[in-house]
Amino acid sequence: MTMKKIIKNKTLLVGILILLVLSIYDISLGIKSLKSASFQILSMLKIVPPIFLLIGLLDVWVPRETMIKLMGKKSGVLGIVIAFLFGTFAAGPLVGAFPVAMIMLKKGARYANVIFFLMTWASSKLPILFYQSTTMGLKFTIVSNVTLIVVYLVGSLVLEKSFSKKELDALYEHVEEMAK
Amino acid sequence: MDISTIILYILALVLLIVSFIKDRKKTKMGIKKGWMAFKKILPILIPLFLIVGIILTVISPDMIKFALGENSGVIGVFIGLIVGSISFMPPFVTYPLGVELLEKGAGYPQVAAFVTTLMAVGIVYFTAETKFFGTKSAILRNGLGFIASLIVALVVWGVM
């Protein structure tokens, strides 16, 4: 990154500023923050190669018509099932899901399905479910995840409804620009 | 490396080989597109993880124990929702902490509110999310995660 880009990147500036204030208050806190930030970046980099490889392959091999058929406006239950499967068989933090969701939208997937995919990725990934049941107990895991999936299903449709057609078109346009 | 990451690698590798056998040119283009997407997203991710690192340092498990341990009832649920929304924690820290909170006397609904928002609501991801999908979508998706967590806490309250 060049200096100009760093200055333009507001989140980075805010982060550096907080880090400075924190370090002045207590230098060990600043060092600890940097250490855990680099640990987080490293653990993310581990899942970056397969995710971006899959995104690239998805982009060249899956035609827009196929994605519309599988996850588009008229995909119905099939679209929901596919969104769920993509979300639950995922690995890594939610940020990893953003670029995948971006490609889905770019290829014409329905907004509600993509939101359902993001929510499933966030809460109900299989590895998390296993880990959750061994720590928090099976009953808690089943009760909370069944509730979540129902709320997410309804919620993703409500979210979609709250967008006007114009807003939704603008969102798809924005994503297409991002995914270029 | 956990099992899901390994599966992800195997899946990507198998598809890459299949793609390469079918069409070399298309495969090269796919790799290039993936790399371009990564390069575009990296400037969003780096500052994000800097802030995550700061939050992991400032909001310690001890602080969360303090905030959640003493407060029960509806107020406890709301504290759980808010603390879970603003903090960030990997799952292998989250759930053992949840168990510890339960052992220390916090109730299931309060702990449910905390661990569920931790997964579904990401204030730290917010700026990244707006860059991908716009402000409205980011607000609404996080709002959905928050409401869903509240409902989970209430259901857990009723059932457990």
Side-chain angles (χ1 to χ4, degrees):
Chain A
M1 262 191 281
T2 58
M3 201 62 205
K4 215 175 175 183
K5 273 190 186 153
I6 292 176
I7 290 166
K8 254 175 106 183
N9 196 328
K10 282 192 196 114
T11 321
L12 186 61
L13 276 185
V14 170
I16 292 171
L17 199 72
I18 300 173
L19 190 70
L20 277 178
V21 172
L22 206 62
S23 304
I24 290 165
Y25 173 72
D26 184 347
I27 184 74
S28 69
L29 284 180
I31 293 169
K32 222 175 141 196
S33 298
L34 273 181
K35 265 190 189 157
S36 67
S38 39
F39 177 78
Q40 290 297 321
I41 291 173
L42 282 179
S43 64
M44 181 208 60
L45 284 181
K46 272 198 293 201
I47 64 152
V48 156
I51 285 189
F52 283 90
L53 194 58
L54 287 172
I55 290 172
L57 291 177
L58 192 78
D59 207 355
V60 291
W61 280 108
V62 179
R64 204 178 144 80
E65 300 78 51
T66 311
M67 181 63 93
I68 289 174
K69 215 196 248 167
L70 292 177
M71 291 183 80
K73 261 191 195 126
K74 287 180 187 147
S75 61
V77 180
L78 178 71
I80 294 168
V81 171
I82 290 175
F84 179 77
L85 290 179
F86 261 109
T88 199
F89 283 104
L94 185 61
V95 270
F98 292 159
V100 182
M102 187 178 77
I103 294 293
M104 284 177 175
L105 288 171
K106 182 195 164 193
K107 293 264 169 184
R110 184 181 174 177
Y111 178 71
N113 288 340
V114 175
I115 287 294
F116 187 57
F117 155 76
L118 282 176
M119 294 320 271
T120 312
W121 180 309
S123 307
S124 310
K125 284 188 288 277
L126 273 183
I128 287 191
L129 292 184
F130 285 128
Y131 191 58
Q132 206 180 11
S133 61
T134 54
T135 50
M136 301 286 291
L138 191 61
K139 192 179 174 189
F140 177 85
T141 306
I142 292 173
V143 168
S144 63
N145 284 288
V146 169
T147 312
L148 280 177
I149 287 162
V150 174
V151 177
Y152 289 161
L153 257 181
V154 179
S156 60
L157 294 171
V158 174
L159 245 63
E160 190 180 67
K161 271 260 179 319
S162 78
F163 278 86
S164 67
K165 186 161 185 315
K166 219 173 133 193
E167 283 175 316
L168 219 48
D169 287 345
L171 192 140
Y172 277 91
E173 238 168 72
H174 169 78
V175 166
E176 218 152 290
E177 197 55 43
M178 266 296 281
K180 248 181 194 168
Chain B
M1 222 183 257
D2 61 300
I3 185 83
S4 57
T5 314
I6 295 168
I7 292 172
L8 200 65
Y9 267 91
I10 293 172
L11 182 71
L13 216 63
V14 168
L15 289 178
L16 181 69
I17 292 167
V18 172
S19 168
F20 193 74
I21 292 169
K22 275 191 139 180
D23 191 333
R24 285 189 188 193
K25 223 173 143 194
K26 247 183 168 175
T27 308
K28 266 188 198 155
M29 210 163 87
I31 295 172
K32 210 178 148 196
K33 279 199 169 182
W35 173 245
M36 293 297 282
F38 173 64
K39 259 177 43 186
K40 230 177 184 176
I41 284 151
L42 201 62
I44 303 176
L45 290 184
I46 299 282
L48 176 94
F49 282 101
L50 180 61
I51 288 178
V52 166
I54 292 168
I55 285 182
L56 279 172
T57 308
V58 175
I59 304 180
S60 63
D62 283 332
M63 257 174 81
I64 289 164
K65 268 182 243 166
F66 180 75
L68 270 173
E70 302 276 314
N71 291 287
S72 53
V74 181
I75 295 171
V77 169
F78 275 98
I79 291 175
L81 289 173
I82 289 162
V83 174
S85 298
I86 54 176
S87 45
F88 176 90
M89 230 173 254
F92 63 86
V93 180
T94 306
Y95 294 114
L97 176 63
V99 174
E100 209 179 315
L101 288 167
L102 288 172
E103 282 164 359
K104 287 245 160 74
Y108 265 101
Q110 290 78 22
V111 175
F114 170 63
V115 298
T116 315
T117 41
L118 214 43
M119 297 293 143
V121 186
I123 300 284
V124 283
Y125 290 157
F126 190 75
T127 44
E129 199 171 347
T130 53
K131 284 197 180 109
F132 278 104
F133 311 112
T135 313
K136 182 172 177 180
S137 178
I139 290 174
L140 287 179
R141 196 204 59 77
N142 282 289
L144 175 59
F146 192 85
I147 289 167
S149 306
L150 174 64
I151 294 173
V152 166
L154 295 177
V155 171
V156 165
W157 203 330
V159 176
M160 295 187 73

PDB file of all heavy atoms in Angstrom, chain B residues 78-112:
ATOM      1  N   PHE B  78     -29.857  -7.894  28.024  1.00  0.00           N
ATOM      2  CA  PHE B  78     -29.476  -6.745  27.200  1.00  0.00           C
ATOM      3  C   PHE B  78     -27.979  -6.454  27.273  1.00  0.00           C
ATOM      4  O   PHE B  78     -27.359  -6.121  26.260  1.00  0.00           O
ATOM      5  CB  PHE B  78     -30.321  -5.514  27.552  1.00  0.00           C
ATOM      6  CG  PHE B  78     -31.624  -5.524  26.809  1.00  0.00           C
ATOM      7  CD1 PHE B  78     -32.791  -5.979  27.410  1.00  0.00           C
ATOM      8  CD2 PHE B  78     -31.675  -5.139  25.473  1.00  0.00           C
ATOM      9  CE1 PHE B  78     -33.988  -6.030  26.716  1.00  0.00           C
ATOM     10  CE2 PHE B  78     -32.861  -5.190  24.762  1.00  0.00           C
ATOM     11  CZ  PHE B  78     -34.023  -5.641  25.387  1.00  0.00           C
ATOM     12  N   ILE B  79     -27.402  -6.616  28.452  1.00  0.00           N
ATOM     13  CA  ILE B  79     -25.951  -6.438  28.550  1.00  0.00           C
ATOM     14  C   ILE B  79     -25.245  -7.480  27.681  1.00  0.00           C
ATOM     15  O   ILE B  79     -24.305  -7.164  26.941  1.00  0.00           O
ATOM     16  CB  ILE B  79     -25.496  -6.525  30.025  1.00  0.00           C
ATOM     17  CG1 ILE B  79     -26.008  -5.311  30.788  1.00  0.00           C
ATOM     18  CG2 ILE B  79     -23.960  -6.590  30.112  1.00  0.00           C
ATOM     19  CD1 ILE B  79     -25.736  -5.340  32.264  1.00  0.00           C
ATOM     20  N   GLY B  80     -25.754  -8.713  27.729  1.00  0.00           N
ATOM     21  CA  GLY B  80     -25.191  -9.776  26.889  1.00  0.00           C
ATOM     22  C   GLY B  80     -25.259  -9.425  25.409  1.00  0.00           C
ATOM     23  O   GLY B  80     -24.292  -9.587  24.668  1.00  0.00           O
ATOM     24  N   LEU B  81     -26.419  -8.902  24.983  1.00  0.00           N
ATOM     25  CA  LEU B  81     -26.606  -8.538  23.576  1.00  0.00           C
ATOM     26  C   LEU B  81     -25.624  -7.446  23.149  1.00  0.00           C
ATOM     27  O   LEU B  81     -25.020  -7.516  22.080  1.00  0.00           O
ATOM     28  CB  LEU B  81     -28.040  -8.042  23.336  1.00  0.00           C
ATOM     29  CG  LEU B  81     -29.184  -9.062  23.395  1.00  0.00           C
ATOM     30  CD1 LEU B  81     -30.528  -8.349  23.296  1.00  0.00           C
ATOM     31  CD2 LEU B  81     -29.058 -10.095  22.292  1.00  0.00           C
ATOM     32  N   ILE B  82     -25.474  -6.442  24.016  1.00  0.00           N
ATOM     33  CA  ILE B  82     -24.627  -5.306  23.645  1.00  0.00           C
ATOM     34  C   ILE B  82     -23.143  -5.684  23.670  1.00  0.00           C
ATOM     35  O   ILE B  82     -22.396  -5.414  22.722  1.00  0.00           O
ATOM     36  CB  ILE B  82     -24.930  -4.098  24.559  1.00  0.00           C
ATOM     37  CG1 ILE B  82     -26.315  -3.552  24.194  1.00  0.00           C
ATOM     38  CG2 ILE B  82     -23.879  -3.004  24.391  1.00  0.00           C
ATOM     39  CD1 ILE B  82     -26.933  -2.672  25.240  1.00  0.00           C
ATOM     40  N   VAL B  83     -22.736  -6.385  24.742  1.00  0.00           N
ATOM     41  CA  VAL B  83     -21.327  -6.795  24.832  1.00  0.00           C
ATOM     42  C   VAL B  83     -20.976  -7.718  23.657  1.00  0.00           C
ATOM     43  O   VAL B  83     -19.923  -7.583  23.025  1.00  0.00           O
ATOM     44  CB  VAL B  83     -21.036  -7.492  26.178  1.00  0.00           C
ATOM     45  CG1 VAL B  83     -19.614  -8.037  26.206  1.00  0.00           C
ATOM     46  CG2 VAL B  83     -21.234  -6.528  27.327  1.00  0.00           C
ATOM     47  N   GLY B  84     -21.887  -8.642  23.337  1.00  0.00           N
ATOM     48  CA  GLY B  84     -21.647  -9.564  22.229  1.00  0.00           C
ATOM     49  C   GLY B  84     -21.572  -8.856  20.882  1.00  0.00           C
ATOM     50  O   GLY B  84     -20.830  -9.258  19.996  1.00  0.00           O
ATOM     51  N   SER B  85     -22.352  -7.771  20.720  1.00  0.00           N
ATOM     52  CA  SER B  85     -22.364  -7.052  19.447  1.00  0.00           C
ATOM     53  C   SER B  85     -21.082  -6.274  19.212  1.00  0.00           C
ATOM     54  O   SER B  85     -20.580  -6.227  18.092  1.00  0.00           O
ATOM     55  CB  SER B  85     -23.537  -6.063  19.396  1.00  0.00           C
ATOM     56  OG  SER B  85     -24.753  -6.738  19.479  1.00  0.00           O
ATOM     57  N   ILE B  86     -20.553  -5.661  20.291  1.00  0.00           N
ATOM     58  CA  ILE B  86     -19.384  -4.801  20.063  1.00  0.00           C
ATOM     59  C   ILE B  86     -18.068  -5.560  20.170  1.00  0.00           C
ATOM     60  O   ILE B  86     -17.064  -5.104  19.661  1.00  0.00           O
ATOM     61  CB  ILE B  86     -19.347  -3.569  20.997  1.00  0.00           C
ATOM     62  CG1 ILE B  86     -19.452  -3.996  22.460  1.00  0.00           C
ATOM     63  CG2 ILE B  86     -20.425  -2.576  20.660  1.00  0.00           C
ATOM     64  CD1 ILE B  86     -19.315  -2.843  23.429  1.00  0.00           C
ATOM     65  N   SER B  87     -18.073  -6.731  20.809  1.00  0.00           N
ATOM     66  CA  SER B  87     -16.784  -7.408  20.925  1.00  0.00           C
ATOM     67  C   SER B  87     -16.601  -8.437  19.821  1.00  0.00           C
ATOM     68  O   SER B  87     -17.513  -8.735  19.053  1.00  0.00           O
ATOM     69  CB  SER B  87     -16.613  -8.037  22.304  1.00  0.00           C
ATOM     70  OG  SER B  87     -17.756  -8.702  22.705  1.00  0.00           O
ATOM     71  N   PHE B  88     -15.407  -8.933  19.760  1.00  0.00           N
ATOM     72  CA  PHE B  88     -15.079  -9.929  18.752  1.00  0.00           C
ATOM     73  C   PHE B  88     -14.276 -11.030  19.422  1.00  0.00           C
ATOM     74  O   PHE B  88     -13.418 -10.752  20.245  1.00  0.00           O
ATOM     75  CB  PHE B  88     -14.239  -9.297  17.646  1.00  0.00           C
ATOM     76  CG  PHE B  88     -13.790 -10.292  16.621  1.00  0.00           C
ATOM     77  CD1 PHE B  88     -14.567 -10.557  15.516  1.00  0.00           C
ATOM     78  CD2 PHE B  88     -12.599 -10.989  16.782  1.00  0.00           C
ATOM     79  CE1 PHE B  88     -14.163 -11.499  14.582  1.00  0.00           C
ATOM     80  CE2 PHE B  88     -12.197 -11.932  15.848  1.00  0.00           C
ATOM     81  CZ  PHE B  88     -12.976 -12.176  14.748  1.00  0.00           C
ATOM     82  N   MET B  89     -14.590 -12.262  19.083  1.00  0.00           N
ATOM     83  CA  MET B  89     -13.896 -13.369  19.715  1.00  0.00           C
ATOM     84  C   MET B  89     -13.970 -14.584  18.805  1.00  0.00           C
ATOM     85  O   MET B  89     -15.006 -14.845  18.215  1.00  0.00           O
ATOM     86  CB  MET B  89     -14.647 -13.707  21.004  1.00  0.00           C
ATOM     87  CG  MET B  89     -13.780 -13.799  22.212  1.00  0.00           C
ATOM     88  SD  MET B  89     -14.848 -13.982  23.614  1.00  0.00           S
ATOM     89  CE  MET B  89     -14.701 -12.357  24.297  1.00  0.00           C
ATOM     90  N   PRO B  90     -12.883 -15.322  18.673  1.00  0.00           N
ATOM     91  CA  PRO B  90     -12.991 -16.553  17.897  1.00  0.00           C
ATOM     92  C   PRO B  90     -13.807 -17.595  18.677  1.00  0.00           C
ATOM     93  O   PRO B  90     -13.821 -17.557  19.912  1.00  0.00           O
ATOM     94  CB  PRO B  90     -11.544 -17.017  17.742  1.00  0.00           C
ATOM     95  CG  PRO B  90     -10.719 -16.150  18.618  1.00  0.00           C
ATOM     96  CD  PRO B  90     -11.541 -15.037  19.137  1.00  0.00           C
ATOM     97  N   PRO B  91     -14.494 -18.502  17.966  1.00  0.00           N
ATOM     98  CA  PRO B  91     -15.378 -19.470  18.634  1.00  0.00           C
ATOM     99  C   PRO B  91     -14.683 -20.298  19.712  1.00  0.00           C
ATOM    100  O   PRO B  91     -15.300 -20.625  20.722  1.00  0.00           O
ATOM    101  CB  PRO B  91     -15.831 -20.381  17.486  1.00  0.00           C
ATOM    102  CG  PRO B  91     -15.632 -19.591  16.261  1.00  0.00           C
ATOM    103  CD  PRO B  91     -14.538 -18.628  16.513  1.00  0.00           C
ATOM    104  N   PHE B  92     -13.396 -20.625  19.506  1.00  0.00           N
ATOM    105  CA  PHE B  92     -12.741 -21.474  20.504  1.00  0.00           C
ATOM    106  C   PHE B  92     -12.484 -20.729  21.816  1.00  0.00           C
ATOM    107  O   PHE B  92     -12.103 -21.329  22.805  1.00  0.00           O
ATOM    108  CB  PHE B  92     -11.445 -22.104  19.955  1.00  0.00           C
ATOM    109  CG  PHE B  92     -10.370 -21.122  19.589  1.00  0.00           C
ATOM    110  CD1 PHE B  92      -9.474 -20.660  20.533  1.00  0.00           C
ATOM    111  CD2 PHE B  92     -10.261 -20.664  18.285  1.00  0.00           C
ATOM    112  CE1 PHE B  92      -8.482 -19.760  20.193  1.00  0.00           C
ATOM    113  CE2 PHE B  92      -9.277 -19.752  17.939  1.00  0.00           C
ATOM    114  CZ  PHE B  92      -8.393 -19.307  18.891  1.00  0.00           C
ATOM    115  N   VAL B  93     -12.667 -19.411  21.806  1.00  0.00           N
ATOM    116  CA  VAL B  93     -12.630 -18.650  23.060  1.00  0.00           C
ATOM    117  C   VAL B  93     -14.059 -18.440  23.575  1.00  0.00           C
ATOM    118  O   VAL B  93     -14.326 -18.503  24.771  1.00  0.00           O
ATOM    119  CB  VAL B  93     -11.941 -17.275  22.863  1.00  0.00           C
ATOM    120  CG1 VAL B  93     -11.902 -16.499  24.164  1.00  0.00           C
ATOM    121  CG2 VAL B  93     -10.544 -17.442  22.301  1.00  0.00           C
ATOM    122  N   THR B  94     -14.986 -18.195  22.622  1.00  0.00           N
ATOM    123  CA  THR B  94     -16.360 -17.848  22.977  1.00  0.00           C
ATOM    124  C   THR B  94     -17.029 -18.904  23.842  1.00  0.00           C
ATOM    125  O   THR B  94     -17.554 -18.593  24.925  1.00  0.00           O
ATOM    126  CB  THR B  94     -17.208 -17.694  21.694  1.00  0.00           C
ATOM    127  OG1 THR B  94     -16.569 -16.761  20.840  1.00  0.00           O
ATOM    128  CG2 THR B  94     -18.599 -17.204  22.041  1.00  0.00           C
ATOM    129  N   TYR B  95     -17.049 -20.152  23.375  1.00  0.00           N
ATOM    130  CA  TYR B  95     -17.869 -21.154  24.051  1.00  0.00           C
ATOM    131  C   TYR B  95     -17.315 -21.586  25.405  1.00  0.00           C
ATOM    132  O   TYR B  95     -18.087 -21.703  26.366  1.00  0.00           O
ATOM    133  CB  TYR B  95     -18.171 -22.313  23.099  1.00  0.00           C
ATOM    134  CG  TYR B  95     -19.032 -21.845  21.959  1.00  0.00           C
ATOM    135  CD1 TYR B  95     -18.568 -21.826  20.658  1.00  0.00           C
ATOM    136  CD2 TYR B  95     -20.305 -21.342  22.207  1.00  0.00           C
ATOM    137  CE1 TYR B  95     -19.354 -21.342  19.621  1.00  0.00           C
ATOM    138  CE2 TYR B  95     -21.096 -20.851  21.186  1.00  0.00           C
ATOM    139  CZ  TYR B  95     -20.613 -20.854  19.895  1.00  0.00           C
ATOM    140  OH  TYR B  95     -21.391 -20.360  18.881  1.00  0.00           O
ATOM    141  N   PRO B  96     -15.999 -21.807  25.525  1.00  0.00           N
ATOM    142  CA  PRO B  96     -15.490 -22.066  26.881  1.00  0.00           C
ATOM    143  C   PRO B  96     -15.801 -20.920  27.842  1.00  0.00           C
ATOM    144  O   PRO B  96     -16.131 -21.146  29.009  1.00  0.00           O
ATOM    145  CB  PRO B  96     -13.977 -22.207  26.665  1.00  0.00           C
ATOM    146  CG  PRO B  96     -13.846 -22.656  25.258  1.00  0.00           C
ATOM    147  CD  PRO B  96     -14.953 -21.982  24.511  1.00  0.00           C
ATOM    148  N   LEU B  97     -15.742 -19.677  27.331  1.00  0.00           N
ATOM    149  CA  LEU B  97     -16.104 -18.533  28.170  1.00  0.00           C
ATOM    150  C   LEU B  97     -17.568 -18.608  28.563  1.00  0.00           C
ATOM    151  O   LEU B  97     -17.929 -18.340  29.719  1.00  0.00           O
ATOM    152  CB  LEU B  97     -15.805 -17.226  27.418  1.00  0.00           C
ATOM    153  CG  LEU B  97     -16.210 -15.932  28.132  1.00  0.00           C
ATOM    154  CD1 LEU B  97     -15.443 -15.764  29.440  1.00  0.00           C
ATOM    155  CD2 LEU B  97     -15.977 -14.729  27.241  1.00  0.00           C
ATOM    156  N   GLY B  98     -18.417 -19.010  27.616  1.00  0.00           N
ATOM    157  CA  GLY B  98     -19.840 -19.187  27.901  1.00  0.00           C
ATOM    158  C   GLY B  98     -20.065 -20.199  29.020  1.00  0.00           C
ATOM    159  O   GLY B  98     -20.845 -19.954  29.944  1.00  0.00           O
ATOM    160  N   VAL B  99     -19.337 -21.306  28.939  1.00  0.00           N
ATOM    161  CA  VAL B  99     -19.454 -22.345  29.967  1.00  0.00           C
ATOM    162  C   VAL B  99     -19.008 -21.797  31.329  1.00  0.00           C
ATOM    163  O   VAL B  99     -19.657 -22.013  32.356  1.00  0.00           O
ATOM    164  CB  VAL B  99     -18.602 -23.582  29.586  1.00  0.00           C
ATOM    165  CG1 VAL B  99     -18.596 -24.599  30.707  1.00  0.00           C
ATOM    166  CG2 VAL B  99     -19.137 -24.211  28.303  1.00  0.00           C
ATOM    167  N   GLU B 100     -17.901 -21.062  31.286  1.00  0.00           N
ATOM    168  CA  GLU B 100     -17.379 -20.485  32.528  1.00  0.00           C
ATOM    169  C   GLU B 100     -18.393 -19.524  33.159  1.00  0.00           C
ATOM    170  O   GLU B 100     -18.590 -19.514  34.372  1.00  0.00           O
ATOM    171  CB  GLU B 100     -16.076 -19.750  32.217  1.00  0.00           C
ATOM    172  CG  GLU B 100     -15.100 -19.725  33.376  1.00  0.00           C
ATOM    173  CD  GLU B 100     -13.833 -18.995  32.984  1.00  0.00           C
ATOM    174  OE1 GLU B 100     -13.309 -19.244  31.875  1.00  0.00           O
ATOM    175  OE2 GLU B 100     -13.382 -18.159  33.779  1.00  0.00           O
ATOM    176  N   LEU B 101     -19.039 -18.728  32.286  1.00  0.00           N
ATOM    177  CA  LEU B 101     -20.052 -17.788  32.774  1.00  0.00           C
ATOM    178  C   LEU B 101     -21.205 -18.535  33.434  1.00  0.00           C
ATOM    179  O   LEU B 101     -21.701 -18.131  34.487  1.00  0.00           O
ATOM    180  CB  LEU B 101     -20.578 -16.930  31.617  1.00  0.00           C
ATOM    181  CG  LEU B 101     -19.637 -15.866  31.065  1.00  0.00           C
ATOM    182  CD1 LEU B 101     -20.174 -15.326  29.746  1.00  0.00           C
ATOM    183  CD2 LEU B 101     -19.466 -14.731  32.062  1.00  0.00           C
ATOM    184  N   LEU B 102     -21.606 -19.657  32.815  1.00  0.00           N
ATOM    185  CA  LEU B 102     -22.686 -20.462  33.387  1.00  0.00           C
ATOM    186  C   LEU B 102     -22.284 -21.002  34.754  1.00  0.00           C
ATOM    187  O   LEU B 102     -23.061 -20.982  35.711  1.00  0.00           O
ATOM    188  CB  LEU B 102     -23.039 -21.625  32.451  1.00  0.00           C
ATOM    189  CG  LEU B 102     -23.773 -21.272  31.157  1.00  0.00           C
ATOM    190  CD1 LEU B 102     -23.878 -22.490  30.255  1.00  0.00           C
ATOM    191  CD2 LEU B 102     -25.157 -20.728  31.470  1.00  0.00           C
ATOM    192  N   GLU B 103     -21.038 -21.478  34.850  1.00  0.00           N
ATOM    193  CA  GLU B 103     -20.553 -22.024  36.125  1.00  0.00           C
ATOM    194  C   GLU B 103     -20.470 -20.954  37.199  1.00  0.00           C
ATOM    195  O   GLU B 103     -20.658 -21.213  38.377  1.00  0.00           O
ATOM    196  CB  GLU B 103     -19.174 -22.686  35.928  1.00  0.00           C
ATOM    197  CG  GLU B 103     -19.288 -24.067  35.295  1.00  0.00           C
ATOM    198  CD  GLU B 103     -17.969 -24.565  34.737  1.00  0.00           C
ATOM    199  OE1 GLU B 103     -16.963 -23.820  34.822  1.00  0.00           O
ATOM    200  OE2 GLU B 103     -17.954 -25.688  34.203  1.00  0.00           O
ATOM    201  N   LYS B 104     -20.192 -19.715  36.744  1.00  0.00           N
ATOM    202  CA  LYS B 104     -20.076 -18.612  37.700  1.00  0.00           C
ATOM    203  C   LYS B 104     -21.444 -18.101  38.140  1.00  0.00           C
ATOM    204  O   LYS B 104     -21.535 -17.171  38.935  1.00  0.00           O
ATOM    205  CB  LYS B 104     -19.286 -17.455  37.069  1.00  0.00           C
ATOM    206  CG  LYS B 104     -17.813 -17.743  36.954  1.00  0.00           C
ATOM    207  CD  LYS B 104     -16.987 -16.794  37.826  1.00  0.00           C
ATOM    208  CE  LYS B 104     -15.615 -17.350  38.107  1.00  0.00           C
ATOM    209  NZ  LYS B 104     -14.719 -17.274  36.941  1.00  0.00           N
ATOM    210  N   GLY B 105     -22.510 -18.658  37.554  1.00  0.00           N
ATOM    211  CA  GLY B 105     -23.837 -18.272  38.014  1.00  0.00           C
ATOM    212  C   GLY B 105     -24.673 -17.466  37.059  1.00  0.00           C
ATOM    213  O   GLY B 105     -25.811 -17.125  37.362  1.00  0.00           O
ATOM    214  N   ALA B 106     -24.113 -17.117  35.874  1.00  0.00           N
ATOM    215  CA  ALA B 106     -24.939 -16.437  34.875  1.00  0.00           C
ATOM    216  C   ALA B 106     -25.963 -17.430  34.332  1.00  0.00           C
ATOM    217  O   ALA B 106     -25.735 -18.633  34.322  1.00  0.00           O
ATOM    218  CB  ALA B 106     -24.067 -15.907  33.745  1.00  0.00           C
ATOM    219  N   GLY B 107     -27.126 -16.924  33.890  1.00  0.00           N
ATOM    220  CA  GLY B 107     -28.168 -17.817  33.390  1.00  0.00           C
ATOM    221  C   GLY B 107     -27.968 -18.140  31.916  1.00  0.00           C
ATOM    222  O   GLY B 107     -27.227 -17.457  31.210  1.00  0.00           O
ATOM    223  N   TYR B 108     -28.651 -19.200  31.450  1.00  0.00           N
ATOM    224  CA  TYR B 108     -28.581 -19.566  30.039  1.00  0.00           C
ATOM    225  C   TYR B 108     -29.028 -18.450  29.099  1.00  0.00           C
ATOM    226  O   TYR B 108     -28.379 -18.202  28.082  1.00  0.00           O
ATOM    227  CB  TYR B 108     -29.399 -20.839  29.774  1.00  0.00           C
ATOM    228  CG  TYR B 108     -28.562 -22.101  29.823  1.00  0.00           C
ATOM    229  CD1 TYR B 108     -28.570 -22.928  30.939  1.00  0.00           C
ATOM    230  CD2 TYR B 108     -27.752 -22.450  28.749  1.00  0.00           C
ATOM    231  CE1 TYR B 108     -27.791 -24.078  30.981  1.00  0.00           C
ATOM    232  CE2 TYR B 108     -26.975 -23.587  28.776  1.00  0.00           C
ATOM    233  CZ  TYR B 108     -26.996 -24.407  29.889  1.00  0.00           C
ATOM    234  OH  TYR B 108     -26.222 -25.529  29.932  1.00  0.00           O
ATOM    235  N   PRO B 109     -30.162 -17.746  29.388  1.00  0.00           N
ATOM    236  CA  PRO B 109     -30.592 -16.694  28.450  1.00  0.00           C
ATOM    237  C   PRO B 109     -29.540 -15.593  28.270  1.00  0.00           C
ATOM    238  O   PRO B 109     -29.300 -15.135  27.149  1.00  0.00           O
ATOM    239  CB  PRO B 109     -31.852 -16.119  29.115  1.00  0.00           C
ATOM    240  CG  PRO B 109     -32.312 -17.164  30.048  1.00  0.00           C
ATOM    241  CD  PRO B 109     -31.112 -17.913  30.499  1.00  0.00           C
ATOM    242  N   GLN B 110     -28.910 -15.195  29.387  1.00  0.00           N
ATOM    243  CA  GLN B 110     -27.905 -14.125  29.311  1.00  0.00           C
ATOM    244  C   GLN B 110     -26.696 -14.576  28.484  1.00  0.00           C
ATOM    245  O   GLN B 110     -26.183 -13.833  27.640  1.00  0.00           O
ATOM    246  CB  GLN B 110     -27.447 -13.717  30.720  1.00  0.00           C
ATOM    247  CG  GLN B 110     -28.490 -12.988  31.549  1.00  0.00           C
ATOM    248  CD  GLN B 110     -29.537 -13.923  32.147  1.00  0.00           C
ATOM    249  OE1 GLN B 110     -29.300 -15.126  32.303  1.00  0.00           O
ATOM    250  NE2 GLN B 110     -30.700 -13.393  32.472  1.00  0.00           N
ATOM    251  N   VAL B 111     -26.260 -15.817  28.742  1.00  0.00           N
ATOM    252  CA  VAL B 111     -25.119 -16.350  27.996  1.00  0.00           C
ATOM    253  C   VAL B 111     -25.490 -16.546  26.525  1.00  0.00           C
ATOM    254  O   VAL B 111     -24.690 -16.262  25.621  1.00  0.00           O
ATOM    255  CB  VAL B 111     -24.620 -17.669  28.632  1.00  0.00           C
ATOM    256  CG1 VAL B 111     -23.516 -18.290  27.786  1.00  0.00           C
ATOM    257  CG2 VAL B 111     -24.109 -17.409  30.033  1.00  0.00           C
ATOM    258  N   ALA B 112     -26.744 -16.990  26.274  1.00  0.00           N
ATOM    259  CA  ALA B 112     -27.202 -17.162  24.889  1.00  0.00           C
ATOM    260  C   ALA B 112     -27.155 -15.834  24.149  1.00  0.00           C
ATOM    261  O   ALA B 112     -26.693 -15.759  23.012  1.00  0.00           O
ATOM    262  CB  ALA B 112     -28.617 -17.737  24.862  1.00  0.00           C
TER     263      ALA B 112
END
